[in-house]
Amino acid sequence: MKASITTNAKFQIAPIDDRIYGSFLEHLGRAIYEGIYEPGHPSSNEQGFRTDVLDIIRDLQVPVIRYPGGNYVSAFKWEDSVGPRELRPKRLDLAWRTIETNQFGIAEFHDWCQQAKAAYMMAINLGSRGIEDARNLLEYCNDNSGAAWGDLRKQHGYQEPFNIRMWCLGNEMDGPWQVGHKTAYEYGRLANETAKTYRKFDEDLELIVCGSSNDKMATYPEWEAEVLDQSYESVDYISLHKYWNNYSRDTLNYLASHYELDEYIGTVRSVIQYIKAKKRARNDVYICFDEWNPWYHTNKRDHELLQTWDWPEAPHLFEDPYNLEDALLVGTVINSFIRNADIVKIACMAQLINVIAPISTEKSGSVWKQTIFYPYYLASKYGRGTALQIQVNSPTYDCKIRDQASYLDTSVVLNEERQEISVFCVNKHPDQALHAEIALENLSKLSGLEHICLTCSDRYMTNTVQQPNRVVPQSLEPPKVRQIQSIVSLPALSFNVLRYRYQG
Ligand code: AHR
């Protein structure tokens, strides 16, 4: 089957904000405990941080990590998680029906982020708590003036402020499952007043207001309109979340999910523009897509399970074993973020370790990479620069999500600093290769550097702790180039990175 991709170095969408390759860590299951923090593990440093995990995260170049939740944050009392460990109380975590020991808290996460070379994005509790506690937390983290909360941090051994720049004003406040769930009006007012309070301390903070938990919520997209109506001029981003599933084992439909994602982003883009116009506002608001991933292999089972258990500590929860088609879905999601680089400025794969995650650990044992690690890794490595416009011609198929879905999903990134161009392609066809003719216009002296391909003959194949390398990227023959044209073969059900160099 034949397809074509045309792009032009001068037809630019926008610079890609590196933070679209962000991630998320919640006090949930074994994300923190046994994930990043495991005192006594052979690889752990004196702070109890697993260095085998840190090495992978540094290699992944995760620019930003959201913490500490998630649903967890909506009943989180941050004061429990600071100061001498022996004085920290154990608490019931109402979101996941577990015991939280608070042995890892907001200051440890600061240290860990520094070692991971990632920026700290803090979510605050606007569920069970309000402005006063949120303001105290901000001062604890960022103040250096000699006032009480900043001084408490110093007493706890942190002379220098954490200087956290990104703050999420709550989490999924549209969700009836959330502790402190609110109507759009109630939440929009609270978020606005919290944002105004934060700006009195530091007007340059980056503030993120909660959008919808997903595009199937009954309140979507009116939620976005009302929340922004209340808060538009006080915030910088609106957050969106979405998790995908393939319960019906309909591969082609699953891999067409990015059309719904494009529509979700497009709708929220329009709501932002509408509110901006309505308010005659000068500021721009962007999208922070701060939770996204496939989530279904363990979702129903574990949600039922946690209703039955007796408040365990750091249980195995939502440890999805991801397969090849999940990795392809991840490739299409990242393509969508790149194509929408002018509005999506931050995105966080949810989550990073063990819980619906690209990286898995064994207690006292090894660390290994899930299939979904690879498109994320390759995009983080080669997807930095400027997003280019593309024209794609591809054979199509009809599915539940839409008619005439393209077998080929693509994004293109120009990196002027390195004089490189990367073409990311997902071939969704279940059994046929796509022979794609790629035209890279307005670039001189092009040469093919590399064709990296992730595929497997079994679309349900996973990596496991015993066999961690069953689905891993392969290097294929580098793309051949004649002037601006290159013809490449994209295997059936594959994620591909085609890398080129140019001069001048
Ligand atoms: O990432 C898992 C959970 O999914 C988060 O806690 C919540 O925000 C979302 O519903």
Side-chain angles (χ1 to χ4, degrees), residues 24 26 28 70-71 96 171-172 243 291 295 351 356:
F24 172 40
E26 177 168 5
L28 195 186
N71 295 342
W96 307 112
N171 174 68
E172 293 190 349
Y243 292 97
E291 285 188 35
W295 183 9
Q351 298 189 8
I356 42 174

Side-chain angles (χ1 to χ4, degrees), residues 64-132:
V64 54
I65 305 181
R66 181 169 176 254
Y67 173 86
N71 295 342
Y72 172 74
V73 84
S74 293
F76 174 53
K77 211 172 155 207
W78 68 265
E79 301 89 328
D80 293 341
S81 81
V82 296
R85 280 207 171 90
E86 62 283 6
L87 299 180
R88 297 185 195 175
K90 285 187 176 180
R91 295 280 183 202
L92 298 184
D93 164 17
L94 300 176
W96 307 112
R97 290 180 59 82
T98 51
I99 293 276
E100 171 55 52
T101 62
N102 283 307
Q103 291 304 293
F104 185 100
I106 57 173
E108 286 80 25
F109 192 64
H110 162 74
D111 293 341
W112 184 85
C113 277
Q114 292 203 322
Q115 293 176 36
K117 299 198 187 315
Y120 192 146
M121 180 197 263
M122 174 84 93
I124 63 174
N125 176 356
L126 288 187
S128 69
R129 305 187 95 186
I131 298 173
E132 176 74 6

